[in-house]
Amino acid sequence: MSEQDKMTEQETEVTASGENSQEEKKPEVPTRSMILMILAGCYLLYTGYRLCKNVLEGVEGGSWGFFAAGVGFIIVGAVMLFTGGRNYLRREKEKRAEQEAQAQIIRETQPAEEKKTMSIADRARLAEGLDDAEETETQADTEKEE
């Protein structure tokens, strides 16, 4: 390949990767997955606790291998619980912020109901116009009767 072809390919890759990063967001984990991660983390914490407790109490069949497995379960369960909870709370916060932004956009696009105040002079002119309109209606009615 020539140098120009290589440069064109590199530019295309840079442009494509730049467009993808702008257009595509980070893939979102569904809420169900986050809730399952939280539940699995709780279960692993409980299981690890029970394994460690059984070894420390000297229950028959409890060995230090189970204690090590229990500690591992506790660590993995805590990480899963923390990660799932953090992602869930972050998602809820983003949803609330997005809803608030949409509500703000709707408020801004709808015409604001402005109450216009009239000066005393404007009200007097309006009243004169109403009086003149009533007089012309009265005159038109009397002309029709005749």
Side-chain angles (χ1 to χ4, degrees), residues 15 17 28-29 42 45 48 52 56 73 85 98 104 110-112 128 140:
T15 305
S17 65
E28 295 184 8
V29 178
C42 291
L45 280 172
C52 292
L56 293 176
F73 282 8
E98 184 177 319
Q104 182 67 24
Q110 289 179 343
E128 286 177 11

Side-chain angles (χ1 to χ4, degrees), residues 20-83:
N20 288 343
S21 65
Q22 291 175 357
E23 292 176 9
E24 295 179 19
K25 292 183 178 179
K26 187 177 179 181
E28 295 184 8
V29 178
T31 304
R32 289 180 300 215
S33 296
M34 287 184 274
I35 291 172
L36 285 174
M37 184 178 280
I38 291 169
L39 292 174
C42 291
Y43 178 72
L44 286 174
L45 280 172
Y46 172 75
T47 303
Y49 167 76
R50 294 297 296 177
L51 284 171
C52 292
K53 182 180 174 193
N54 287 341
V55 170
L56 293 176
E57 289 180 351
V59 175
E60 188 176 330
S63 68
W64 289 102
F66 287 119
F67 186 82
V71 170
F73 282 8
I74 289 173
I75 292 170
V76 172
V79 169
M80 288 178 70
L81 184 63
F82 176 75
T83 304

Side-chain angles (χ1 to χ4, degrees), residues 88-119:
Y88 181 77
L89 293 175
R90 186 179 296 159
R91 169 79 55 84
E92 291 300 315
K93 184 178 178 181
E94 288 174 359
K95 281 182 183 178
R96 277 188 259 125
E98 184 177 319
Q99 289 174 348
E100 182 62 32
Q102 288 175 351
Q104 182 67 24
I105 290 171
I106 290 171
R107 279 187 239 125
E108 289 174 358
T109 57
Q110 289 179 343
E113 297 178 15
E114 297 178 10
K115 293 183 178 182
K116 296 182 180 179
T117 58
M118 296 177 67
S119 67

